[in-house]
Every structure is written in structure tokens, then in C-alpha cells.
């Protein structure tokens, strides 16, 4: 999944003098207050951090409250989705007009029906709502499915994504990883058989075709 | 839209949605006709006929399908129409459709989350004209309908937008009604807060709901002056003489007397009544909630939040009178777990060297009041805690060489007073058990009281007197020839206020609870002074001396400090209950909350 990165950073945290008794606790409190919020400096949403100080000394700022600045080295796990990135998330709600997904357990994403490709039809089967592909029968999107989608936009304030399932490499992750290859081959096999019935003389070139389609596939992925 | 209204049976959902989408899209191009019509149709609120209901439901459903086309800038009037809709005005059909619309809108785009949460929270309180019917059966039924859906909608949004609960917390706190709002509004809002606490989102927003509840209670509490709650009398007796007042009796006799009291304007007393009533209802809600939490096994978690908010809000609230009883009640539900946590926390604050003096004095006052008044505490437990208190006082006194000094040793004097207070209530029962008696006798009490710091001369005279009286009757502090060591201190005139401007020396937080409706929760667990068997009591039956009120005259009022009238235990007029010499305890009479002669 794209959109996650680990940043090595040098930080400077200013602490109030009352915190000087337990500096590490104060540092963790400061950093924790920034979790799950978008930070411009980091260019992303802070998900996790690991920080350490090298220096035992800290400079005291002059002023009304003599805060002191502690230098840190930190590794920051950041979430920074940009348009056209591919993300994965779990479906929590399906409707005829939209699919609602939760990414990484905290970010909500919505895909509206205009951004779902034609092959997917909304159906209700056995009381369950789902989007089923008309082309590949086994490709289904239901509640609890993990779905791969393309990011259209990301609202930094509310951490809300809007996504799209228009591209062919999007959809149910399980299906994409398992069956995509097979189905591709199968659909080509089907084409070959049709071709065969039309022209018996081309029988011997089957293997060549298979090899060719495989090569073709590998050049695309 | 008129045409659609007529042919509702013939038009499919998809077509309706499509129609709305077209209308919304048209606005961006400048054509607002359809759009305006749409909004116009949404504004019917009063007494909808079935046709109008069907129309509204259709519109809302169609909008649900078209949320992705709603633009925050161009469709501002539509958004404000949706947010202005009140669940309370409609029937179940419209409510359901509205619920769906709000959830779909909130989850379609991050920008609408706050808007929709705000709309739902504003539906916690019914519209103004609905407030009167709220108490009636149909009002209650409506309330159930509305709140069920509002909370379901909140849950729906939280499921799809994981960060919604933290925004919800903030919005709930911002919109809470202040003390001047009508009682019905405050009550229904707090009901909602408690529903959130016990609901599915409880693990996220529960703690801040509890905090906010305690804040509300304190806000109301501090608005009630003592003067308003009980018709105060500057000529007050010592705290152990009388505690409760049958206000009916007061009213009859009060009419005749020439009251030296302050004249209360009708407005001031009435305001106090109103606030006391609000507080009474809220306390009832709070107690009910704690009870149901206990039944569901959730009390430990709720208590944690309660204890924290107690420490940050209630402990330091200047003269809070009733709000602290939520702690008392919670401890009474679960003495082993919650009760011991409460005591440990109070001891921790008292013994710490970090917290300010006022906090420590307040903590020890709470401890003393709790240990004395809680019926559900065993005497052996009280003795153990007492021992720890005595230990601290003893160690402190050993380290000091100076004389009486009110400022420097306030915490010490507060602790000594606490000791004496608890022993006034518990001495007899401690001495009744041999094991506990030997524990008490072994405590270095004598050394503490004989120390140069001289707590017996500093602490509140009424407490010191009562304590010494009981100690003498129990033959404590006696030397071999039988004389009582502290005889000279009886009837001494010394009265030093060590409590500072907050009068923490006369702060007894768990004094009798005076709010009428919620009293039923506290009464079974509470020890009233008149229930206490002192060591000098003759072994006679408890008497029902309610009738003595009218006969006796008042004297000896002048020797008591005017400041005593500000005490937590506000005793009633002396002439009602007997003079200073006659210390017979009265049986507790039924209490009534703030009333004025006018209202009766």
C-alpha cells in the first residue's frame, strides 16, 4: 500500500519548566498530542513515533516562561495520501450510491457510484448488499472486503479520503491478487477456443499464443 | 416537484434521485427553480397531513441518494435547511428518512461531519414549545422515539468515520446548557449525555461525559447559597446539637417571632429554590445512572472517571454542598472497590508534599466526613484509616518544636480536627470491640494533644468539647488518680479560625443531604448525628422528641461565632430544639429542600 512512509527527523520540543521533573514523559505527551492529526511540517498524518534524545543539555529560552528546548531524533510513521496513489481499506458500508471504507482503522474513505467502473453492479443477494462484477463472476465487493482503490482527494482536516474504483487494477484485493492472473489466462483461453472453432488450422499455434499472452502480461505489470 | 408529489406511486427511487441530482447540478449553472422548490417543500413542520408527510419522506430519501452532488458553497441554503430540521416535529417515517439522510451526508464528505454531528446534538433538546409536554406520557413516548434515532444516527456516523467520536465530544461539551436554562432542557441534555456514556460509543466519549456531568452539578451547586437552601439563622448552635429541621414546624412558629435574621427578598430565595430543584433532578439522574452502571458491572470504569473529575473539580470547589454525594453514593454501592479507592486517593492527596495546602486540608476534611457518615463502613476499617491518620499527626508533631502557629501548621490542625471528628462519631463502637479498643488506646493521641502546637486550643470548639466529653466518659486520657488530663479545656473560650478565608476548618462535606427527591438514595447509607451512640449516653431507648420544639426558650446564642452560620451543618434555631445545656439528640426528621415561607 502506498501512502505510508517513515521519516527520520530532528525535532526541537519546547517544554514548560514545570515539566522538568519528568522530561521524557513530557516529550511523549507533546508528541502524542500530535497523533492522528495532519501536520504540515511533516506533510502527513502522524501515526506513530519513536524518539530519543542525544544531548543531556537543553537551552533555556529567555522570556516570561523560561521554557527549555530539547533536541530529539525521531522516527515518524506518516500517512500522506496523494491523488492517484493506491490505498487499501476495509468496506464498512455499501449502498447503491456509495461504498464506505475505513483505511488503517482511522481514516474514512468514500467512493461514489460515479467513480465505480461500469462492470460493477449493485445487487442484493440473500439480504446482503454487494457489488458484483459482470465480467468476472468471482470478483465481488461486500462488507468486510478489503478493497484497493485510487485516491482522488484527501481532506487534511477531517482525514477523509475520496476514492475511485475506475482503474482496472482496483477492486477486491483477494481477487486481484489471486485470480487476476488466472482469469486473464482463462479469458485468453476462451478467445483461443473461439478462434479455434473458426479456423482449425491455427491449432498448432496455441502454445505460442499462450506464451505470447504471458509475455504481454508481464510487460504491462 | 408538484408533479412528482402526485405520481409518487409511479416514480421509482432512482428517478427521484436523478431528479434531485439534476436540480442540484442546475444550481451551479445558475438555474435555481427546482432547487428552491425542493427547499420550500422541506419547510413544512407543523401538523403535516399524510400527503405532506409522504412528500417530505420522498424528498429526504431522494436527497440521500444525491449527497455526493451537494456542494458546500453552492447549496448552502439546502444544508442549513437540513440542519435546522428537528426530529421532534415529525413522525417516525420522516424521522427515519431524516436519520438516513444525515448519516449519508456526514459520511459522504469530511466537511459535513461536524455539521451533521452538530445537527444531531442540537436535537438532544426538544423545541421550546415541547418542553411542557415532556413530562406527560405522549411526551415521554416521543422522547424515546427521537432519542433512539438520534443516538442510532450518531453511532452510524461513528462506525463509518472512526474519528467522529472525538469531534462529538467537543460538540456535546460546547452545546451543554448553562445553569440559567430551563430545568427540562438541562435534564434532557444530561439524559442524552448519560445515554452516550452507557451506549456503544461509551468507551470513547464516556469519560468526558462523566466529567461534564460533574461540572454541571458543581455549577448548579455553587449557585445555591446556604442562605437560600435553609433559612439561615446567625444565632447558631454548635454542630452537634441539631442537624435537621422539619421545615413545616419552622414555618408555623417562624411566623410569630421577631426574626433577627436577614430579610430575604422573594427573588433571591426563589432563585435558590429553582437552582436547588434543578440540582435535585440532576442528582437523581446521576444516582440512577450509577445504580444501573453498578448492575451492569461497569461501575469500576465509571468510578475511575468520577474520581478523577472529583479531584479536579469537586475537591477544590468552594463550599460545594451536594455534588460530592455522587462519590458517596458510588462508594455505598461498592464499598470494597470504589470506597477503598476513594479513601486511598484522599489519603494520598492529604499526605503528599506536592499539592497545595488547601487541597490537603480539603482532602482530610472529606476523609473525616466520609469515615464518620458512611453507614456501610466497618468499624475496623475506620480504625485502620484512623491509625494511619494518627500516625501522620504523631510524626509531624515529633518534628516540630514550635508553638501554636495557625499559618504554618494548618494541615496539622486540620488533621487533628479530622481525628476528633471521626472519634466523636465512632468512639463508642470502637471501644465496644476489644481488639479495636486496644488499637485505639495504643495510638499516641495523648502525645499529639499535649504537644506545644496545642491542637485542642486551635480546633473548632464544638468538636473539641464533644470529643473531650466523650473521651472523659470513656476514661481515655486519664492518669492513675482518675483525673482527666484535659479538664481545663472544657468551656474554654478559645476559638481560632485556622481554616483561612475559605473556612476549611468548618468544612464538613458530607453533612446531611438536603435535596428532597434524590435523598432516598443517600438516606439508607447515611449516619445522622442523632443516630450515634456516644460514650456518655445513658442506656435508654432512642426518643422521639420531635414535640419538644415549641416549648423551650433560647439562650446562650451570643457566645457562638457569627461565622458558624456559614457552616456546612446549618443547625436550626436554638429555641426549637432545646438550650445549650440540654444536649439530647433529636431523631432525624424528614428533610425538605429549599423552601421559603411563601412557597409553603
Amino acid at each position: 500500500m502506498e501512502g505510508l512512509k517513515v521519516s527520520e527527523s530532528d525535532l526541537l520540543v519546547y517544554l514548560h519548566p514545570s515539566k522538568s521533573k519528568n522530561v521524557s514523559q513530557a516529550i511523549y505527551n507533546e508528541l502524542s498530542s500530535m497523533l492522528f492529526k495532519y501536520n504540515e511540517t511533516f506533510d502527513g498524518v502522524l501515526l506513530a513515533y519513536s524518539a530519543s534524545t542525544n544531548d543531556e543539555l537543553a537551552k533555556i529560552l529567555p522570556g516570561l516562561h523560561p521554557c527549555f528546548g530539547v533536541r530529539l531524533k525521531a522516527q515518524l510513521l506518516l500517512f500522506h495520501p496523494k491523488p492517484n496513489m493506491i490505498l487499501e481499506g476495509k468496506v464498512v458500508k455499501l449502498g447503491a450510491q456509495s461504498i464506505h471504507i475505513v483505511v488503517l482503522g482511522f481514516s474514512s474513505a468514500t467512493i461514489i457510484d460515479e467513480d465505480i467502473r461500469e462492470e460493477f453492479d449493485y445487487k442484493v443477494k440473500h439480504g446482503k448488499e454487494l457489488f458484483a462484477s459482470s465480467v468476472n463472476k468471482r470478483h465481488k465487493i461486500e462488507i468486510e472486503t478489503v478493497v484497493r482503490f485510487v485516491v482522488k482527494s484527501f481532506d487534511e482536516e477531517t482525514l477523509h479520503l475520496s476514492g475511485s474504483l475506475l482503474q482496472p487494477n482496483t477492486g477486491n484485493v483477494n481477487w486481484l491478487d489471486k485470480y487476476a492472473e488466472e482469469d486473464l489466462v482463462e479469458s485468453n483461453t476462451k478467445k483461443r477456443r473461439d478462434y479455434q472453432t473458426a479456423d482449425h488450422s491455427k491449432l498448432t499455434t496455441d502454445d505460442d499464443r499462450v506464451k505470447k499472452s504471458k509475455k504481454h502480461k508481464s510487460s504491462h505489470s | 416537484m408538484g408533479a412528482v408529489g402526485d405520481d409518487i406511486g409511479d416514480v421509482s427511487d432512482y428517478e427521484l434521485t436523478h431528479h434531485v441530482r439534476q436540480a442540484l447540478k442546475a444550481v451551479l449553472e445558475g438555474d435555481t427553480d427546482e432547487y428552491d422548490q425542493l427547499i420550500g417543500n422541506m419547510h413544512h413542520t407543523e401538523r403535516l397531513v399524510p400527503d405532506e408527510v409522504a412528500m417530505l419522506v420522498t424528498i429526504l430519501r431522494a436527497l440521500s441518494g444525491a449527497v455526493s452532488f451537494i456542494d458546500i458553497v453552492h447549496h448552502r441554503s439546502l444544508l442549513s435547511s437540513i440542519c435546522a430540521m428537528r426530529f421532534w416535529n415529525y413522525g417516525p417515517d420522516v424521522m427515519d428518512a431524516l436519520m438516513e439522510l444525515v448519516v449519508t451526508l456526514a459520511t459522504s464528505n469530511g466537511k459535513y461531519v461536524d455539521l451533521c454531528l452538530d445537527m444531531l446534538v442540537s436535537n438532544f433538546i426538544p423545541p421550546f414549545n415541547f418542553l411542557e409536554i415532556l413530562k406527560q406520557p405522549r411526551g415521554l413516548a416521543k422522547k424515546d422515539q427521537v432519542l433512539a434515532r438520534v443516538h442510532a444516527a450518531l453511532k452510524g456516523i461513528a462506525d463509518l468515520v472512526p474519528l467522529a467520536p472525538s469531534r462529538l465530544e467537543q460538540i456535546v461539551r460546547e452545546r451543554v446548557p448553562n445553569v440559567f436554562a430551563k430545568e427540562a432542557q438541562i435534564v434532557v441534555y444530561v439524559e442524552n449525555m448519560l445515554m452516550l456514556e452507557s451506549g456503544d460509543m461509551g468507551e470513547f466519549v464516556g469519560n468526558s461525559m462523566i466529567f461534564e456531568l460533574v461540572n454541571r452539578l458543581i455549577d448548579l451547586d455553587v449557585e445555591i447559597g446556604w442562605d437560600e437552601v435553609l433559612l439561615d439563622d446567625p444565632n447558631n448552635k454548635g454542630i452537634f446539637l441539631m442537624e435537621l429541621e422539619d421545615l413545616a414546624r419552622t414555618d408555623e412558629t417562624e411566623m410569630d417571632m421577631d426574626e433577627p435574621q436577614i430579610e430575604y427578598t422573594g427573588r433571591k430565595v426563589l432563585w435558590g429554590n429553582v437552582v436547588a430543584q434543578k440540582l435535585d433532578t440532576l442528582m437523581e439522574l446521576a444516582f440512577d445512572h450509577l445504580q444501573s452502571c453498578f448492575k451492569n458491572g461497569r461501575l469500576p470504569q465509571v468510578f475511575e472517571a468520577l474520581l478523577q473529575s472529583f479531584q479536579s473539580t469537586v475537591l477544590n470547589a468552594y463550599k460545594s454542598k451536594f455534588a460530592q454525594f455522587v462519590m458517596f453514593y458510588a462508594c455505598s454501592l461498592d464499598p470494597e472497590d470504589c470506597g477503598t479507592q476513594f479513601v486511598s486517593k484522599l489519603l494520598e492527596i492529604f499526605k503528599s508534599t506536592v499539592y497545595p495546602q488547601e487541597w490537603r486540608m480539603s482532602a482530610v476534611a472529606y476523609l473525616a466526613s466520609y469515615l464518620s457518615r458512611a453507614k456501610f463502613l466497618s468499624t475496623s476499617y475506620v480504625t485502620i484509616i484512623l491509625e494511619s491518620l494518627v500516625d501522620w499527626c504523631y510524626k509531624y508533631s515529633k518534628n516540630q518544636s514550635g508553638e501554636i502557629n495557625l499559618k504554618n501548621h494548618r494541615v496539622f490542625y486540620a488533621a487533628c480536627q479530622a481525628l476528633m471528628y471521626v472519634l466523636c462519631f465512632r468512639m463508642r463502637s470502637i471501644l465496644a470491640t476489644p481488639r479495636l479498643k486496644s488499637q485505639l488506646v495504643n495510638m499516641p493521641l495523648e502525645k499529639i494533644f499535649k504537644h506545644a502546637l496545642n491542637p485542642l486550643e486551635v480546633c473548632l470548639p464544638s468538636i473539641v468539647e464533644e470529643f473531650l466529653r466523650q473521651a472523659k466518659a470513656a476514661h481515655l486520657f486519664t492518669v492513675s488518680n482518675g483525673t482527666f488530663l484535659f479538664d481545663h479545656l472544657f468551656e474554654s473560650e478559645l476559638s481560632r479560625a485556622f481554616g483561612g478565608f475559605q473556612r476549611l476548618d468548618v468544612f464538613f462535606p458530607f453533612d446531611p443531604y438536603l435535596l428532597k427527591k434524590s435523598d432516598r438514595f443517600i438516606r439508607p447509607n447515611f449516619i445522622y448525628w442523632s443516630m450515634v451512640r456516644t460514650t456518655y449516653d445513658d442506656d435508654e431507648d432512642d426518643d422521639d422528641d420531635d414535640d419538644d420544639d415549641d416549648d423551650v426558650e433560647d439562650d446562650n446564642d451570643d457566645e457562638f461565632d457569627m461565622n458558624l452560620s456559614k457552616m456546612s451543618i446549618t443547625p436550626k434555631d436554638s429555641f426549637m430544639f432545646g438550650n445549650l445545656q440540654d444536649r439530647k439528640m433529636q431523631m432525624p426528621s424528614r428533610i425538605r429542600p429549599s423552601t421559603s415561607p411563601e412557597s409553603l
Side-chain angles (χ1 to χ4, degrees):
Chain A
M1 188 171 107
E2 301 170 350
L4 284 172
K5 65 178 176 186
V6 178
S7 264
E8 295 277 342
S9 53
D10 291 320
L11 301 173
L12 177 58
V13 181
Y14 288 110
L15 299 175
H16 191 269
S18 62
K19 311 266 190 281
S20 53
K21 198 166 180 185
N22 192 345
V23 173
S24 41
Q25 185 69 43
I27 293 176
Y28 288 138
N29 284 346
E30 275 294 327
L31 288 172
S32 299
S33 68
M34 299 191 333
L35 286 174
F36 295 112
K37 295 197 180 88
Y38 180 80
N39 191 306
E40 262 189 48
T41 336
F42 299 152
D43 187 33
V45 179
L46 181 62
L47 296 184
Y49 61 84
S50 140
S52 58
T53 51
N54 328 329
D55 230 334
E56 290 276 315
L57 300 174
K59 265 196 185 161
I60 301 179
L61 283 182
L64 204 55
H65 301 288
C67 297
F68 56 100
V70 180
R71 292 195 175 278
L72 305 170
K73 273 218 165 326
Q75 284 90 42
L76 307 169
L77 180 62
L78 297 166
F79 178 58
H80 68 125
K82 300 271 184 285
N84 296 321
M85 274 190 183
I86 296 187
L87 294 181
E88 288 170 14
K90 194 186 266 195
V91 176
V92 283
K93 187 178 167 193
L94 275 178
Q97 279 91 24
S98 57
I99 300 179
H100 295 275
I101 299 169
V102 170
V103 176
L104 290 175
F106 73 91
S107 176
S108 54
T110 313
I111 305 178
I112 56 176
D113 56 356
E114 272 82 24
D115 293 323
I116 303 177
R117 56 183 185 269
E118 288 298 321
E119 72 175 87
F120 283 109
D121 297 318
Y122 174 73
K123 291 193 179 110
V124 182
K125 269 196 188 157
H126 312 297
K128 284 204 297 184
E129 296 169 295
L130 58 106
F131 274 86
S133 167
S134 47
V135 173
N136 304 297
K137 296 294 173 202
R138 275 177 286 183
H139 194 171
K140 281 188 274 188
I141 299 179
E142 310 172 299
I143 296 192
E144 302 272 308
T145 311
V146 179
V147 153
R148 192 175 288 154
F149 62 95
V150 174
V151 176
K152 268 177 71 181
S153 68
F154 177 59
D155 182 331
E156 285 148 11
E157 242 186 70
T158 56
L159 306 186
H160 185 99
L161 290 157
S162 103
S164 112
L165 286 174
L166 290 172
Q167 291 192 21
N169 56 344
T170 56
N172 186 330
V173 161
N174 284 335
W175 186 89
L176 288 170
D177 290 342
K178 251 203 280 186
Y179 298 108
E181 264 191 45
E182 271 188 38
D183 265 0
L184 204 56
V185 174
E186 228 187 71
S187 62
N188 282 334
T189 321
K190 199 157 170 271
K191 279 193 207 138
R192 271 184 281 123
R193 286 209 196 100
D194 294 336
Y195 199 68
Q196 254 181 338
T197 52
D199 190 348
H200 285 273
S201 55
K202 304 276 178 167
L203 261 172
T204 48
T205 53
D206 274 3
D207 292 317
D208 295 333
R209 282 246 166 81
V210 172
K211 285 200 201 107
K212 203 178 173 189
S213 61
K214 275 210 178 123
K215 256 195 266 170
H216 209 62
K217 200 169 72 65
S218 53
S219 68
H220 269 252
S221 58
Chain B
M1 274 321 249
V4 172
D6 296 337
D7 307 329
I8 259 175
D10 305 314
V11 186
S12 75
D13 272 345
Y14 175 74
E15 284 169 3
L16 288 165
T17 313
H18 184 78
H19 184 104
V20 171
R21 287 182 178 193
Q22 294 303 104
L24 292 171
K25 273 199 268 199
V27 173
L28 281 95
E29 283 142 31
D31 171 20
T32 58
D33 283 344
E34 291 283 349
Y35 174 70
D36 290 335
Q37 234 187 356
L38 195 66
I39 297 184
N41 280 319
M42 283 172 64
H43 274 262
H44 298 150
T45 53
E46 298 298 325
R47 254 162 270 143
L48 301 174
V49 294
D51 264 355
E52 288 173 325
V53 170
M55 164 76 85
L56 200 48
V57 171
T58 319
I59 295 180
L60 293 173
R61 285 225 198 104
L63 277 170
S64 303
V67 284
S68 47
F69 283 71
I70 299 180
D71 180 79
I72 200 165
V73 172
H74 295 102
H75 301 128
R76 204 173 300 149
S77 47
L78 176 63
L79 285 169
S80 47
S81 303
I82 298 177
C83 292
M85 290 182 82
R86 289 272 161 277
F87 283 80
W88 300 83
N89 291 330
Y90 305 111
D93 293 325
V94 181
M95 280 201 249
D96 284 334
L98 183 57
M99 190 174 98
E100 207 196 301
L101 173 58
V102 172
V103 174
T104 324
L105 184 60
T107 54
S108 67
N109 192 319
K111 295 189 231 157
Y112 301 134
V113 172
D114 276 348
L115 219 68
C116 295
L117 288 177
D118 197 65
M119 182 264 188
L120 289 168
V121 173
S122 68
N123 270 287
F124 279 179
I125 304 181
F128 203 74
N129 51 0
F130 203 87
L131 284 174
E132 288 99 56
I133 1 176
L134 206 53
K135 286 277 166 77
Q136 303 166 13
R138 67 180 171 114
L140 287 173
K142 187 72 171 192
K143 183 176 78 168
D144 284 337
Q145 281 183 345
V146 172
L147 294 187
R149 286 172 174 79
V150 169
H151 285 264
L154 287 170
K155 176 75 175 43
I157 297 180
D159 278 342
L160 302 176
V161 183
L163 296 176
S166 64
R167 306 187 90 94
L168 177 62
E169 237 175 32
Q170 252 183 306
I171 293 174
V172 171
R173 266 187 295 192
E174 278 164 24
R175 278 184 159 271
V176 73
N178 62 22
V179 295
F180 303 103
K182 290 200 157 291
E183 182 181 324
Q185 284 180 320
I186 303 182
V187 168
V188 76
Y189 197 88
V190 171
E191 269 181 43
N192 274 284
M193 280 168 51
L194 293 175
M195 271 175 83
L196 281 176
E197 197 276 321
S198 48
D200 299 303
M201 285 193 278
E203 53 176 324
F204 305 118
V205 303
N207 280 2
S208 68
M209 292 301 114
I210 296 285
F211 265 79
E212 196 52 44
L213 170 68
V214 176
N215 282 344
R216 289 302 104 235
L217 293 175
I218 285 285
D219 275 355
L220 285 171
D221 201 327
V222 299
E223 280 286 320
I224 312 175
W226 265 118
D227 311 338
E228 282 98 45
V229 174
L230 296 173
L231 299 175
D232 212 284
D233 177 23
N235 308 320
N236 277 308
K237 301 304 265 180
I239 48 177
F240 289 110
L241 283 190
M242 60 282 290
E243 289 193 319
L244 309 167
E245 162 70 8
D246 187 329
L247 287 171
R249 232 161 280 139
T250 322
D251 296 314
E252 294 158 28
T253 42
E254 232 173 275
M255 296 307 180
D256 311 311
M257 301 141 1
D258 178 18
E259 300 176 349
Q261 301 161 212
I262 311 164
E263 285 273 297
Y264 299 106
T265 62
R267 199 175 299 170
K268 195 174 180 210
V269 186
L270 228 45
W271 173 241
N273 291 348
V274 166
V275 180
Q277 271 172 39
K278 288 181 193 170
L279 183 59
D280 198 2
T281 323
L282 279 192
M283 290 298 281
E284 235 190 337
L285 268 183
F287 290 148
D288 259 325
H289 184 78
L290 287 173
Q291 203 175 38
S292 64
C293 284
F294 176 63
K295 292 202 184 111
N296 297 337
R298 290 179 51 239
L299 193 60
Q301 299 103 291
V302 176
F303 191 75
E304 228 183 276
L306 209 57
L307 192 55
Q308 264 188 313
S309 77
F310 168 81
Q311 192 182 345
S312 51
T313 325
V314 183
L315 188 64
N316 315 312
Y318 177 53
K319 295 294 170 61
S320 73
K321 296 166 272 301
F322 309 121
Q324 59 266 31
F325 276 89
V326 285
M327 301 303 295
F328 190 90
Y329 184 64
C331 292
S332 76
L333 289 170
D334 187 0
E336 282 99 48
D337 195 5
C338 299
T340 44
Q341 270 189 302
F342 186 47
V343 169
S344 327
K345 180 53 101 171
L346 290 173
L347 276 175
E348 182 201 312
I349 298 175
F350 161 64
K351 291 186 182 173
S352 97
T353 47
V354 182
Y355 294 120
Q357 276 192 341
E358 282 81 22
W359 290 25
R360 297 173 65 192
M361 289 167 71
S362 181
V364 79
Y366 266 96
L367 189 61
S369 205
Y370 178 71
L371 291 174
S372 317
R373 299 292 192 169
K375 212 187 232 183
F376 46 88
L377 292 179
S378 67
T379 320
S380 57
Y381 181 70
V382 175
T383 320
I384 295 172
I385 305 296
L386 211 56
E387 206 163 3
S388 150
L389 203 56
V390 172
D391 206 40
W392 185 93
C393 290
Y394 182 55
K395 288 207 178 90
Y396 187 94
S397 64
K398 276 213 293 185
N399 289 335
Q400 303 299 331
S401 57
E403 295 270 300
I404 293 186
N405 188 322
L406 293 179
K407 255 198 297 177
N408 296 352
H409 305 295
R410 290 161 73 201
V411 184
F412 172 72
Y413 292 129
C416 291
Q417 185 167 298
L419 272 181
M420 292 192 272
Y421 187 78
V422 178
L423 283 171
C424 287
F425 277 79
R426 300 280 190 175
M427 198 187 285
R428 188 170 175 135
S429 38
I430 292 179
L431 295 174
T433 319
R435 173 177 62 92
L436 300 176
K437 177 173 181 175
S438 58
Q439 261 186 299
L440 181 63
V441 168
N442 287 334
M443 292 188 205
L445 287 169
E446 216 176 284
K447 296 207 183 78
I448 297 174
F449 293 134
K450 273 177 146 179
H451 192 272
L453 286 173
N454 221 327
L456 292 175
E457 281 191 21
V458 176
C459 295
L460 212 58
S462 37
I463 299 188
V464 174
E465 273 188 50
E466 178 64 27
F467 171 70
L468 290 178
R469 189 155 180 239
Q470 289 204 34
K472 185 170 184 181
H475 308 293
L476 294 174
F477 314 135
T478 40
V479 280
S480 40
N481 62 359
T483 45
F484 184 61
L485 287 171
F486 301 113
D487 255 334
H488 62 286
L489 285 170
F490 277 116
E491 311 297 337
S492 88
E493 290 278 335
L494 293 169
S495 157
R496 318 249 195 134
F498 65 87
F501 85 93
Q502 281 185 20
R503 296 314 308 278
L504 284 167
D505 52 336
V506 289
F507 181 45
F508 305 103
F510 291 123
D511 269 356
Y513 191 74
L514 297 166
L515 296 175
K516 174 164 67 161
K517 283 192 285 179
S518 34
D519 173 57
R520 61 191 167 96
F521 291 94
I522 300 295
R523 180 171 278 268
N525 302 307
F526 195 81
I527 298 178
Y528 294 95
W529 176 244
S530 47
M531 292 157 63
V532 175
R533 309 286 302 280
T534 60
T535 50
Y536 52 79
D537 251 353
D538 312 332
D539 282 358
E540 40 180 71
D541 299 336
D542 286 340
D543 29 303
D544 286 316
D545 277 331
D546 304 16
D547 314 312
D548 278 351
D549 309 341
D550 305 323
D551 330 324
V552 206
E553 20 169 49
D554 93 32
D555 25 73
N556 305 327
D557 303 316
D558 315 306
E559 46 182 90
F560 285 90
D561 196 355
M562 291 294 252
N563 281 334
L564 288 178
S565 67
K566 300 286 180 297
M567 278 196 304
S568 308
I569 305 185
T570 1
K572 294 322 293 169
D573 305 283
S574 51
F575 52 83
M576 293 290 183
F577 287 89
N579 57 26
L580 182 53
Q581 261 54 46
D582 172 20
R583 291 185 186 218
K584 251 201 182 76
M585 301 307 136
Q586 305 289 323
M587 278 299 277
S589 35
R590 191 80 188 85
I591 8 168
R592 259 155 246 166
S594 48
T595 57
S596 58
E598 297 103 67
S599 64
L600 280 184

